[in-house]
Amino acid sequence: MSESQAPVTETAGPVVRTASGAVRGRREDGLAVFRGIPFAEPPVGEARFQAPRPARAWDGTREAYAFGPPPPQEPGITGRKDVPAPDPTGVGWLTVNVWTPDPDPSSARPVMVWIYGGAFRMGHAGQPGYDAQHIARDGDVVVVTFNYRVGTEGFARLDGAPANRGLLDQVAALEWVRANIAAFGGDPEQVTVFGESAGAGSVASLLAMPRARGLFRRAVAQSMPGTFFSDELARDMAAALAAEVGHRPTAADLAAVDPLRLTSAGQSLGAKMPGYRDRWGQAAPTATPFAPVVDGDILPTTPWQALAAGAARDVDLLVGHNRDEFRLFLVMAGLLDKITEEQTTGILRLLAPGGEAGERAYRAAFPEATPADLYERVQTDWLFAMPSLHLAEAQRAGGGSAHVYELAWTAPGNGGALGACHALDIPLLFGTFRADLGVLLFAGADVPAEAEELSSRFRRSWTSFARTGDPGWPAYDTAERLVQVLDAEPTVTAYPRETSRRLWEGHEFLPLPLLP
């Protein structure tokens, strides 16, 4: 049990009947909590690399006390001793978890469905950092988390398999919510999806997917990445991945390969990706061969194109990013003070709009910046900040509503060197300061009172948005461009990254291509 999990106060917990059968949860500090409920059949055997299939019914009452194990994935946060190891059998991959103030069908509380991040190659709903008790209790909402396939199982573009299987898992989980959440005290007409990083990319994808229409009313995208693959690029990456294990990139060939062996192959290929820059272009430095694929079917277009065309005009959107997103990766790699002028020139020419002209524009726009500052700024802008802002602008262009925020509070760990970095919003939102990346972000420091207050503000804003569509500040428009800056003293102001916004004005985020 993580330090953030509440003590169990009653073993003979509440029973809820789902469409597949009855489940018994636990009473935990005023909440009813249900863990590890199957929402789809295990995707193994003939079902491996296929779209999810509805869970089979069971007899009797199933104990819903423990999280299902993670899907196969590369080592990462799931390597912690307090998190189960990935399970190659597939028995618990596709499961949901529910925190509810009261499993009474008459309650009809707003429902918030969390989608975890992890570069589409790792992550698990049972991570201690995603303990949703504070959100459910403070906001008087029902919170659902779930597992979805990552890495090769969920996102490799294989012949004989549908693209974006991880996204199809997410649709299946939302269909489970629609069919069952009323029995847990939730309102199936008041569903908000929210996610961070790859989870935010998933939220954006769901906004663009015809299969997900009508499954949620509101959406929160925290630090949405701009990496969406073209079908050609994804197939080329899948061929390189399959070659790591001596096979062709087909579902039939890879079905015979142990899932954990494929996660090792993905890790190996990720380490080699910087050497593929002449073939994979901007995708190469990301070191992950997995992302949503714009395949023309499951994901017909990019989210920016879909929203601008009005695909989600009836969905309320809350989207934002952190001020210093990329600094997390520099600190974790030990590169914060080691970036050379040559590295900066290379990354500016690769990522900034316009290539060499973009490099000159960045240098002119930030004349006092060091090479490390520019290296960090352009990657923060390209990977998270501008994709997030452009999603809000696309939603506005398509006739919908969007609220925008920036997190500017500095993490106290590492003497403040991390700044307002990527993933800082997770412990602030969930109140799990000593779990997962929170250990790094708050390392060697007590959790300050201003962090506790900002954490409460996060939950008030997010749950207010889930209930009403209003997080507590004005909607974004292209005249005033008002956003909420979340800091020790939060303020509403014009978008604070105006210099970057102008550099990227008119840029179109397209599927990353396979280069000639």
Side-chain angles (χ1 to χ4, degrees):
M1 179 184 296
S2 75
E3 69 175 52
S4 63
Q5 287 179 338
V8 174
T9 58
E10 181 181 322
T11 55
V15 174
V16 168
R17 179 162 293 281
T18 74
S20 298
V23 292
R24 184 186 303 278
R26 294 186 186 275
R27 296 282 183 186
E28 298 181 7
D29 196 17
L31 297 173
V33 183
F34 302 79
R35 299 182 174 92
I37 305 170
F39 69 85
E41 280 296 287
V44 295
E46 65 177 14
R48 193 174 178 196
F49 302 121
Q50 302 305 311
R53 304 172 181 180
R56 296 176 188 171
W58 58 82
D59 296 326
T61 300
R62 183 186 186 108
E63 291 185 348
Y65 298 164
F67 293 115
Q73 58 193 264
E74 299 173 29
I77 293 172
T78 53
R80 289 167 53 97
K81 292 181 180 179
D82 55 352
V83 179
D87 177 11
T89 69
V91 171
W93 294 0
L94 302 183
T95 54
V96 300
N97 319 291
V98 182
W99 287 256
T100 177
D102 182 13
D104 179 350
S106 67
S107 298
R109 288 177 168 85
V111 181
M112 300 183 68
V113 182
W114 172 253
I115 305 177
Y116 54 77
F120 299 103
R121 62 181 184 176
M122 63 183 73
H124 171 225
Q127 291 173 211
Y130 302 147
D131 181 352
Q133 59 160 310
H134 298 300
I135 299 174
R137 188 181 300 111
D138 294 358
D140 193 32
V141 297
V142 177
V143 183
V144 178
T145 69
F146 62 89
N147 287 350
Y148 63 93
R149 285 172 284 181
V150 295
T152 304
E153 304 293 330
F155 288 94
R157 187 67 171 104
L158 307 176
D159 288 339
N164 300 306
R165 296 173 298 280
L167 297 180
L168 293 177
D169 292 345
Q170 296 169 18
V171 171
L174 288 169
E175 289 173 338
W176 183 94
V177 168
R178 182 178 60 186
N180 295 285
I181 205 63
F184 292 86
D187 182 354
E189 300 301 320
Q190 284 269 79
V191 173
T192 298
V193 291
F194 67 126
E196 184 269 348
S197 195
S202 297
V203 167
S205 297
L206 292 168
L207 288 167
M209 290 172 62
R211 288 169 173 81
R213 298 257 164 85
L215 293 177
F216 54 93
R217 183 172 178 179
R218 300 186 175 99
V220 183
Q222 303 169 209
S223 303
M224 174 200 175
T227 46
F228 286 74
F229 293 166
S230 68
D231 202 53
E232 296 78 14
L233 175 62
R235 288 183 182 277
D236 201 63
M237 287 181 168
L241 177 67
E244 292 282 329
V245 292
H247 284 280
R248 298 175 301 164
T250 70
D253 273 25
L254 295 184
V257 180
D258 185 289
L260 297 184
R261 187 179 173 207
L262 289 179
T263 66
S264 297
Q267 188 177 18
S268 175
L269 179 60
K272 299 173 183 177
M273 282 181 65
Y276 283 80
R277 185 174 292 192
D278 62 342
R279 188 171 183 82
W280 297 345
Q282 292 179 329
T286 67
T288 176
F290 308 111
V293 181
V294 181
D295 66 312
D297 176 22
I298 292 167
L299 186 57
T301 66
T302 68
W304 304 278
Q305 292 169 312
L307 267 60
R313 63 166 59 99
D314 58 344
V315 177
D316 298 325
L317 176 63
L318 170 59
V319 59
H321 59 80
N322 303 348
R323 184 189 60 206
D324 311 306
E325 294 273 7
F326 202 75
R327 197 172 302 180
L328 173 70
F329 308 106
L330 292 177
V331 170
M332 292 181 71
L335 297 175
L336 187 60
D337 299 317
K338 299 177 182 178
I339 300 301
T340 66
E341 185 66 50
E342 181 181 11
Q343 288 173 306
T344 298
T345 297
I347 205 67
L348 283 169
R349 292 181 178 179
L350 180 68
L351 301 182
E356 291 188 21
E359 178 209 352
R360 292 192 296 271
Y362 255 86
R363 291 186 184 278
F366 299 99
E368 305 300 321
T370 66
D373 292 338
L374 286 170
Y375 186 89
E376 176 192 332
R377 185 72 255 161
V378 72
Q379 297 204 73
T380 289
D381 287 346
W382 173 76
L383 189 54
F384 298 113
M386 294 303 107
S388 297
L389 182 67
H390 283 214
L391 192 73
E393 296 189 343
Q395 176 72 338
R396 286 277 305 170
S401 170
H403 290 78
V404 177
Y405 73 90
E406 180 185 75
L407 173 60
W409 186 77
T410 295
N414 275 269
L418 287 155
C421 68
H422 190 63
L424 177 59
D425 47 314
I426 297 174
L428 288 171
L429 175 59
F430 283 85
T432 50
F433 300 107
R434 300 301 187 192
D436 302 338
L437 277 174
V439 176
L440 170 66
L441 299 171
F442 291 85
D446 293 332
V447 178
E450 64 186 33
E452 297 281 6
E453 173 54 34
L454 186 55
S455 181
S456 295
R457 180 178 288 272
F458 256 99
R459 289 190 291 279
R460 286 197 302 272
S461 296
W462 265 232
T463 56
S464 172
F465 178 76
R467 180 169 282 105
T468 67
D470 182 359
W473 63 86
Y476 182 85
D477 62 39
T478 54
E480 295 183 275
R481 302 189 188 280
L482 295 180
V483 306
Q484 172 75 72
V485 176
L486 292 163
D487 206 336
E489 295 185 6
T491 58
V492 175
T493 185
Y495 182 66
R497 304 298 127 215
E498 178 65 10
T499 301
S500 292
R501 188 195 69 78
R502 287 185 177 275
L503 288 168
W504 290 82
E505 195 168 26
H507 176 80
E508 187 176 4
F509 284 93
L510 299 172
L512 298 180
L514 177 66
L515 301 182

